[in-house]
Amino acid sequence: MNKQDVLDLLKKINYPGFSRDIVSFGMVENITVDGNSVSVVLKITTDKDDKKQAVLEAVNNVLQSTNTFEQIDVTLSEQGHTPPPTQQQQAPAEPSPLEGIEHIVAVASGKGGVGKSTVAANIAVALTQQGHKVGLLDLDIYGPSLPIILGFNENPELTQDKKLVPLNRYGMKVMSFGFISGNDTPAIWRGPMISRMTEQFFQDVIWGELDYLILDLPPGTGDVQLTLSQKLRMSGAVIVTTPQDIALSDVRKGADMFRKVQTPVLGVIENMSGLIIEGQLSGGKDVKIDISGIENVTVDKDGHFKFQVDVFKKGGGATESERLGVPLLGEIPIDKEIMDSTDNGKPLVLSHPDSPVSHVYVKIADRIHTALNS
Ligand SMILES: Nc1ncnc2c1ncn2[C@@H]1O[C@H](COP(=O)(O)OP(=O)(O)OP(=O)(O)O)[C@@H](O)[C@H]1O
Ligand SMILES: [Mg+2]
């Protein structure tokens, strides 16, 4: 028998499940006939091993039935083992983790002005005080607020290979568009910054080793947020909302967006939940304050009083977060000290570490740390 005879024999073998033979499918890659030995190399690009095995057996049987060959060698070619290229191309591109950064945590909100930047800064400071290496990145390119909240504005150094060195403030590495939008910033960073800011802020800033990089996102669930979350592998997101918005689709939209990009929502923070009123009475002893609808108004022996007015419906945060299946990380009241600390450029956790509201921020930071390290 010669090569053509063997080929004719193989034309009688149909591919399993088809009425077409393996030769016309192009599965016979090579045939070598050498005296009484034959070798056939098959190229089968299926990933189904049982079909490959069935073809190998059928070829062996046909060759044996000729009673011509003493040695029969049927093998699969290398290409036959690799999956078809289309399957490889279909694999989705993984968002890249940033080298040296353990956890990237996004602080997001559906609406603007709910206190996102204030929360991000206080959480970052609290994590720093707990001994972690922390970076804080303000991604709000049109309304950067980090320079105000942290009370400083300096131009970051640009290295020879055009990388930015983050600034140091309160023990953290910080970066904001606000630091580089000034006139003396090299043009190389000004122009393309807006369009390529996402990539530059991550790839072209020398963050170094960090336990946490906290992202202060611009408000909304638009393209910026989505692109960002697709480009980076974030460990988690926290959503800041106010009591009157929490029941709206706001939080749900944010939660849905992060779920879409496989970023766990670590929880919701209800900001401006209730109003703290504090004051000082002078004059008589044994004063009692009675305000309708307010319980627990306490006046100490020096006439100092403090109480909370729940401006919006109380408890919305807890019920709503339960309904959405994300924990309520904390409730922060409206507090004049928070506003003052913004004006003074020193986050509350640093300026008033013993205030009850600072304790809430610290507890939120603890919860985030626990959620990401358990
Ligand atoms: N709990 C609070 N009590 C009192 N004032 C607050 C509280 N939280 C935030 N603020 C004040 O509200 C203002 C807006 O806060 P912040 O800039 O953090 O909001 P934001 O959500 O980041 O806004 P934007 O959407 O513009 O980025 C600031 O002046 C801040 O000091
Ligand atoms: Mg902000």
Coordinates of all heavy atoms in Angstrom, one line a residue, residues 47-81:
D47 N -12.1 20.8 21.2 CA -11.6 20.6 22.6 C -12.2 19.4 23.2 O -12.1 19.2 24.4 CB -11.8 21.9 23.4 CG -13.2 22.4 23.3 OD1 -14.1 21.7 22.7 OD2 -13.4 23.5 23.9
K48 N -13.0 18.7 22.4 CA -13.7 17.5 23.0 C -12.8 16.2 22.8 O -12.6 15.7 21.7 CB -15.0 17.3 22.2 CG -16.0 18.4 22.5 CD -17.4 18.0 22.1 CE -18.4 19.0 22.5 NZ -18.3 20.2 21.7
D49 N -12.3 15.8 23.9 CA -11.3 14.7 23.9 C -11.9 13.4 23.4 O -11.3 12.6 22.8 CB -10.7 14.5 25.3 CG -9.6 15.5 25.6 OD1 -9.0 16.0 24.6 OD2 -9.4 15.8 26.8
D50 N -13.2 13.2 23.7 CA -13.9 11.9 23.3 C -13.9 11.8 21.8 O -13.8 10.8 21.2 CB -15.2 11.8 23.9 CG -16.2 12.9 23.7 OD1 -15.7 14.0 23.3 OD2 -17.4 12.8 23.8
K51 N -14.1 13.0 21.1 CA -14.2 13.0 19.6 C -12.8 12.7 19.0 O -12.7 11.9 18.1 CB -14.7 14.3 19.1 CG -16.2 14.5 19.5 CD -16.9 15.3 18.4 CE -18.4 15.2 18.8 NZ -19.2 15.9 17.8
K52 N -11.8 13.3 19.6 CA -10.4 13.0 19.2 C -10.1 11.5 19.3 O -9.6 10.9 18.4 CB -9.4 13.8 20.1 CG -9.3 15.3 19.7 CD -8.3 15.9 20.6 CE -8.3 17.4 20.5 NZ -7.6 18.1 21.6
Q53 N -10.5 11.0 20.5 CA -10.2 9.6 20.8 C -10.9 8.7 19.8 O -10.3 7.7 19.3 CB -10.7 9.3 22.2 CG -9.9 8.2 22.9 CD -8.4 8.3 22.8 OE1 -7.9 9.4 23.1 NE2 -7.7 7.3 22.4
A54 N -12.2 9.0 19.5 CA -12.9 8.2 18.5 C -12.3 8.2 17.1 O -12.2 7.1 16.5 CB -14.4 8.8 18.4
V55 N -11.8 9.4 16.7 CA -11.1 9.4 15.4 C -9.8 8.6 15.4 O -9.6 7.8 14.4 CB -10.9 10.9 14.9 CG1 -10.1 10.9 13.6 CG2 -12.2 11.7 14.8
L56 N -9.1 8.7 16.4 CA -7.8 8.0 16.6 C -8.1 6.5 16.5 O -7.4 5.7 15.7 CB -7.1 8.3 17.9 CG -6.3 9.6 18.0 CD1 -5.9 9.8 19.4 CD2 -5.2 9.7 17.1
E57 N -9.1 6.0 17.2 CA -9.4 4.6 17.2 C -9.9 4.1 15.8 O -9.5 3.1 15.3 CB -10.5 4.3 18.2 CG -10.0 3.9 19.5 CD -11.0 3.8 20.6 OE1 -12.2 3.4 20.3 OE2 -10.8 4.1 21.7
A58 N -10.8 4.9 15.2 CA -11.3 4.6 13.9 C -10.1 4.4 12.8 O -10.1 3.5 12.0 CB -12.3 5.6 13.4
V59 N -9.2 5.4 12.9 CA -8.0 5.3 11.9 C -7.2 4.1 12.2 O -6.8 3.3 11.3 CB -7.2 6.6 12.1 CG1 -5.9 6.5 11.2 CG2 -8.0 7.8 11.6
N60 N -6.9 3.8 13.5 CA -6.2 2.6 13.9 C -6.9 1.3 13.3 O -6.2 0.5 12.7 CB -6.1 2.5 15.4 CG -4.7 2.9 15.9 OD1 -3.7 2.3 15.3 ND2 -4.6 3.8 16.8
N61 N -8.2 1.2 13.6 CA -8.9 0.0 13.2 C -8.9 -0.2 11.7 O -8.7 -1.3 11.2 CB -10.4 0.1 13.6 CG -10.5 0.0 15.1 OD1 -9.5 -0.4 15.8 ND2 -11.6 0.5 15.7
V62 N -9.1 0.9 10.9 CA -9.1 0.8 9.4 C -7.7 0.3 8.9 O -7.7 -0.6 8.1 CB -9.5 2.2 8.8 CG1 -9.1 2.2 7.3 CG2 -10.9 2.4 8.9
L63 N -6.7 0.9 9.5 CA -5.3 0.5 9.1 C -5.0 -1.0 9.5 O -4.4 -1.8 8.7 CB -4.3 1.4 9.7 CG -4.3 2.8 9.2 CD1 -3.4 3.8 9.9 CD2 -4.0 2.9 7.7
Q64 N -5.5 -1.4 10.7 CA -5.2 -2.8 11.1 C -6.0 -3.8 10.2 O -5.5 -4.9 9.9 CB -5.7 -3.0 12.6 CG -4.5 -2.9 13.5 CD -4.9 -2.7 15.0 OE1 -6.0 -3.0 15.3 NE2 -4.0 -2.3 15.8
S65 N -7.2 -3.4 9.8 CA -8.1 -4.3 9.0 C -7.5 -4.6 7.7 O -7.9 -5.5 7.0 CB -9.5 -3.7 8.9 OG -9.4 -2.5 8.1
T66 N -6.5 -3.8 7.2 CA -5.8 -4.1 6.0 C -4.9 -5.3 6.1 O -4.5 -5.9 5.0 CB -5.0 -2.9 5.4 OG1 -4.0 -2.6 6.4 CG2 -5.9 -1.7 5.2
N67 N -4.5 -5.7 7.3 CA -3.5 -6.7 7.5 C -2.2 -6.5 6.7 O -1.6 -7.5 6.3 CB -4.1 -8.1 7.2 CG -5.2 -8.5 8.2 OD1 -5.1 -8.2 9.4 ND2 -6.3 -9.1 7.7
T68 N -1.9 -5.3 6.6 CA -0.7 -5.0 5.7 C 0.5 -4.5 6.6 O 1.6 -4.8 6.3 CB -1.0 -3.9 4.7 OG1 -2.2 -4.2 4.1 CG2 0.1 -3.7 3.7
F69 N 0.2 -3.8 7.6 CA 1.2 -3.1 8.4 C 1.5 -3.8 9.7 O 0.6 -4.2 10.4 CB 0.8 -1.6 8.7 CG 0.5 -0.8 7.4 CD1 -0.7 -0.5 7.1 CD2 1.6 -0.5 6.5 CE1 -1.0 0.2 5.9 CE2 1.3 0.2 5.4 CZ 0.0 0.6 5.1
E70 N 2.8 -3.9 10.0 CA 3.2 -4.5 11.3 C 3.2 -3.4 12.4 O 2.9 -3.6 13.5 CB 4.6 -5.1 11.2 CG 4.5 -6.5 10.7 CD 5.9 -7.1 10.6 OE1 6.8 -6.7 11.3 OE2 6.1 -8.0 9.7
Q71 N 3.6 -2.2 11.9 CA 3.7 -1.1 12.8 C 2.8 0.0 12.4 O 2.9 0.6 11.3 CB 5.1 -0.6 13.0 CG 5.3 0.2 14.2 CD 6.7 0.9 14.3 OE1 7.7 0.3 13.7 NE2 6.8 2.0 14.9
I72 N 1.8 0.4 13.3 CA 0.9 1.5 13.0 C 1.0 2.6 14.0 O 0.9 2.3 15.2 CB -0.6 0.9 13.0 CG1 -0.7 -0.2 11.9 CG2 -1.6 2.0 12.7 CD1 -2.0 -1.0 12.0
D73 N 1.2 3.8 13.5 CA 1.5 4.9 14.5 C 0.5 6.0 14.1 O 0.6 6.7 13.1 CB 2.9 5.3 14.3 CG 3.5 6.0 15.5 OD1 2.7 6.2 16.4 OD2 4.7 6.3 15.5
V74 N -0.5 6.2 15.0 CA -1.5 7.3 14.7 C -1.3 8.4 15.8 O -1.5 8.0 17.0 CB -2.9 6.8 14.6 CG1 -3.9 7.9 14.2 CG2 -3.0 5.6 13.6
T75 N -1.0 9.6 15.4 CA -0.8 10.6 16.5 C -1.6 11.9 16.1 O -2.0 12.1 15.0 CB 0.7 11.0 16.6 OG1 1.2 11.3 15.3 CG2 1.5 9.9 17.3
L76 N -1.7 12.8 17.1 CA -2.3 14.1 16.9 C -1.2 15.1 16.8 O -0.2 15.1 17.5 CB -3.2 14.5 18.1 CG -4.5 13.7 18.2 CD1 -5.1 14.0 19.6 CD2 -5.5 14.1 17.1
S77 N -1.3 16.1 15.8 CA -0.3 17.1 15.7 C -0.4 18.1 16.8 O -1.4 18.2 17.5 CB -0.4 17.8 14.4 OG -1.5 18.7 14.4
E78 N 0.6 18.8 17.1 CA 0.7 19.8 18.1 C -0.5 20.8 18.1 O -1.2 21.1 19.0 CB 2.0 20.7 18.0 CG 3.1 20.0 18.8 CD 2.8 19.8 20.2 OE1 2.5 20.8 20.9 OE2 2.9 18.6 20.7
Q79 N -0.8 21.3 16.8 CA -1.8 22.3 16.7 C -3.2 21.7 17.1 O -4.1 22.4 17.5 CB -2.0 22.7 15.2 CG -0.8 23.5 14.7 CD 0.1 22.6 13.9 OE1 0.5 21.5 14.4 NE2 0.4 23.0 12.7
G80 N -3.3 20.4 17.0 CA -4.5 19.7 17.3 C -4.9 19.9 18.8 O -6.0 19.8 19.2
H81 N -3.8 20.1 19.6 CA -4.1 20.2 21.1 C -4.4 21.6 21.5 O -5.0 21.8 22.6 CB -2.8 19.8 21.8 CG -2.6 18.3 21.7 ND1 -3.3 17.4 22.3 CD2 -1.6 17.7 20.9 CE1 -2.9 16.2 21.9 NE2 -1.8 16.3 21.1

